[in-house]
Amino acid sequence: MKAICFYFEIHHPEQLRKYHFFDIGKRTDYFDYYINKADIEKLSKKCYLPANNILMELIKKYKGRFKVAFSISGSAIELLELHAPEVILSLQDLAKTDCVEFLCEPYSHSLSSLSDNTDEFERDVKHHIKRIKELFGKKPVAFRNTSLIYSDKIGKRIAKLGFKTILTEGAKHILGWKNPNFVHHHPDNDKIKILLKNSKLSDDISLRFSDKNWNEYPLTAQKYAHWLKSSLTEGDVINLFMDYQAFGKYNKPESGIFDFLKYLPQYILDDKEYAFLTPTEVAKKFKAEEAIYVPNPISWTDEERDITSWLGNELQENAFEELFSIYENIKKCKDEELLRVYSRLQASNHFYYMRTKLLSTEYIPNNDSPYASPYEAYINYMNILSDFQERVRNSTSKSS
């Protein structure tokens, strides 16, 4: 058997409101309610609901032979529950089919796995496990980190939390001659299965599908299915990992992206040698061929597939250090609202907006920033963080 493994990320960062220096000590409304409401409602109508409907149609049509996986951040869950609960209901309907796996990730979609001096990563993951079980009825057993961030060291932390299946990027500089279309394992533990994203075939959908200058445009379901099968002549599984917003936002409905999704399975499942499997099924079905060594963190972002989009300059490093410097006080804090704000301030996008690195034009359309410059993003975030730090100090001093 040869397998196709689809995994979709659903994450929606909460935009911060414009917060000036003179607001410090006076305003505690850090997030722009109206922009966040408008954005999530628009995404739900253009992307999530129509795509979910197609997935349900496919699951019914192929009687359980079509399967996918989702990873939904805590911020996305909270915004959907507040402004588009019909999306949560449609995801719950998908969960009932037993053809959709829900993965675990850090609840706040944070960079906490890169913080060596705190156990915020572990706390955040446990929070997500609990929430996913509450919403979809099953404890998640496979893990994907924020933006597929991974290293050997992070893999050990994930394993200690009970996960034996981890999804990450099939970055060229760590693959070398290895084939991403096999299951690999952690160098120190062959029971920790590593599923690697096939970057080219995933990005053909998420980044290039609508590009009329692409030499393969237009991409049809039949052509793409042929590519998948050809790539599996040597390999067990092709992992297609992508942002769910590829369906309806990055590729507009008029591009034909929904028809592509609707017709792709028929060109795969016409041959009984091929199957759609969830990440956990892939890990159970196939033997881990060999170890994959990842000494330094990788991710699925930008050409370099590293972490420099979040921690690549002094602005980002300073904001990151300041955020996690108050962790010991946060652990003592009993105020539920402050704890929730701390989680929301960890979202990786806040740091991404501070990036100064140049991007390939291929990646720019999917990475919109609400700020005029990285420096504006940094100043706005640090103003908010300054106010928040003072509130945390006041709260912990009162309780001690």
Side-chain angles (χ1 to χ4, degrees), residues 150-168:
Y150 177 80
S151 68
D152 294 336
K153 185 177 181 179
I154 293 171
K156 288 182 178 180
R157 294 180 75 173
I158 295 169
K160 284 182 179 179
L161 287 163
F163 296 97
K164 293 183 179 178
T165 303
I166 304 172
L167 286 65
T168 190

Side-chain angles (χ1 to χ4, degrees), residues 25 60 76 105:
K60 290 179 178 178
E105 67 166 81

Side-chain angles (χ1 to χ4, degrees), residues 376-387:
E376 181 182 308
Y378 171 76
I379 291 169
N380 199 67
Y381 184 83
M382 294 305 290
N383 284 342
I384 288 172
L385 190 57
S386 294
D387 183 84

Side-chain angles (χ1 to χ4, degrees), residues 124-140:
D124 210 22
V125 170
K126 290 175 183 176
H127 185 188
H128 195 262
I129 292 172
K130 180 181 178 182
R131 197 72 185 93
I132 292 299
K133 188 176 180 180
E134 289 173 350
L135 279 176
F136 305 113
K138 290 183 180 180
K139 180 181 177 180

Side-chain angles (χ1 to χ4, degrees), residues 27-156:
R27 300 194 65 167
T28 59
D29 52 333
Y30 304 143
F31 301 91
D32 195 319
Y33 174 88
Y34 296 102
I35 286 181
N36 290 317
K37 179 177 184 293
D39 286 350
I40 202 71
E41 288 177 343
K42 184 177 180 181
L43 276 173
S44 298
K45 291 176 182 177
K46 286 197 168 186
C47 172
Y48 302 150
L49 287 174
N52 283 356
N53 288 338
I54 291 172
L55 295 185
M56 182 61 82
E57 289 174 11
L58 292 172
I59 289 169
K60 290 179 178 178
K61 179 179 179 178
Y62 294 103
K63 298 179 181 179
R65 294 177 65 205
F66 179 75
K67 300 177 180 182
V68 300
F70 284 99
S71 186
I72 310 175
S73 71
S75 63
I77 289 171
E78 292 182 6
L79 287 169
L80 288 168
E81 286 182 318
L82 186 61
H83 302 301
E86 63 274 17
V87 176
I88 295 292
L89 290 174
S90 69
L91 288 168
Q92 289 174 328
D93 287 339
L94 287 170
K96 292 173 186 175
T97 67
D98 290 328
C99 293
V100 178
E101 179 176 5
F102 290 87
L103 310 178
C104 185
E105 67 166 81
Y107 185 87
S108 58
H109 201 78
S110 75
L111 304 175
S112 57
S113 63
L114 301 173
S115 174
D116 295 331
N117 301 320
T118 74
D119 59 358
E120 174 62 9
F121 175 66
E122 286 75 11
R123 191 179 72 90
D124 210 22
V125 170
K126 290 175 183 176
H127 185 188
H128 195 262
I129 292 172
K130 180 181 178 182
R131 197 72 185 93
I132 292 299
K133 188 176 180 180
E134 289 173 350
L135 279 176
F136 305 113
K138 290 183 180 180
K139 180 181 177 180
V141 295
F143 188 88
R144 59 82 59 179
N145 201 4
T146 302
S147 296
L148 297 183
I149 292 172
Y150 177 80
S151 68
D152 294 336
K153 185 177 181 179
I154 293 171
K156 288 182 178 180

Side-chain angles (χ1 to χ4, degrees), residues 24-25 30 326 329 338 383-398:
I24 298 174
Y30 304 143
I326 60 173
N329 282 335
L338 288 179
N383 284 342
I384 288 172
L385 190 57
S386 294
D387 183 84
F388 179 72
Q389 287 173 322
E390 186 59 31
R391 290 172 64 195
V392 170
R393 281 192 288 268
N394 290 338
S395 175
T396 53
S397 64
K398 289 177 183 177

